[in-house]
Amino acid sequence: MIILDTSAVVALAQGREALHRLVDNVAHTNGDRLHIPALCLMQAESMEKGTAGDVIALPGVMVDPLHQTAAATVGSMIREGWGGADICHTLYVATPHIETGGMSIILTGREGDYPSGILTVDIDSPGMLGFL
């Protein structure tokens, strides 16, 4: 599973070419989706008006909700100092669950916000996921 955090959502809305190529490739692959934690979408919209609407209109993008279990877990993670609400929701979504299987890839412009052991790819890295 590929997850876009707040920084990746903002970059996508601003027209980052590599991210748009990724969206296009995912949209043309049956069953694939790019996941955006709801709190990342919220934070991106709070930073730049229209971001949420621009991004959720793209094909192959799915917003992961903050359901009851996620809300309780994300709240605990924030309290324990794992990061802000958007980072903690991203970590929650990236954590293997029964329905998702293995570890996910987080696309981000802020790799330093994530603990070691979490698979992150910088959105500015050359050849990001082979789509540059």
Side-chain angles (χ1 to χ4, degrees):
M1 178 167 52
I2 299 174
I3 302 166
L4 280 67
D5 77 353
T6 302
S7 60
V9 170
V10 170
L12 179 60
Q14 292 174 340
R16 184 77 51 97
E17 184 181 354
L19 291 172
H20 276 275
R21 286 185 189 174
L22 177 61
V23 168
D24 186 55
N25 286 341
V26 167
H28 289 92
T29 305
N30 282 340
D32 274 353
R33 296 283 179 262
L34 294 174
H35 293 256
I36 300 174
L39 295 181
C40 291
L41 188 64
M42 176 199 72
Q43 182 66 27
E45 179 63 28
S46 75
M47 294 166 60
E48 194 167 317
K49 182 180 179 180
T51 297
D54 291 347
V55 170
I56 61 175
L58 297 170
V61 171
M62 176 183 149
V63 177
D64 287 85
L66 186 68
H67 54 75
Q68 290 176 337
T69 303
T73 305
V74 168
S76 295
M77 293 168 76
I78 294 167
R79 183 184 65 245
E80 296 297 321
W82 287 85
D86 60 332
I87 295 295
C88 290
H89 195 200
T90 302
L91 289 168
Y92 176 83
V93 172
T95 302
H97 302 280
I98 292 171
E99 62 275 2
T100 60
M103 194 54 139
S104 301
I105 298 169
I106 299 171
L107 297 182
T108 183
R110 305 178 330 213
E111 286 185 293
D113 288 353
Y114 295 94
S116 62
I118 299 299
L119 182 55
T120 59
V121 174
D122 191 312
I123 57 174
D124 291 321
S125 66
M128 187 262 307
L129 295 180
F131 294 112
L132 280 178

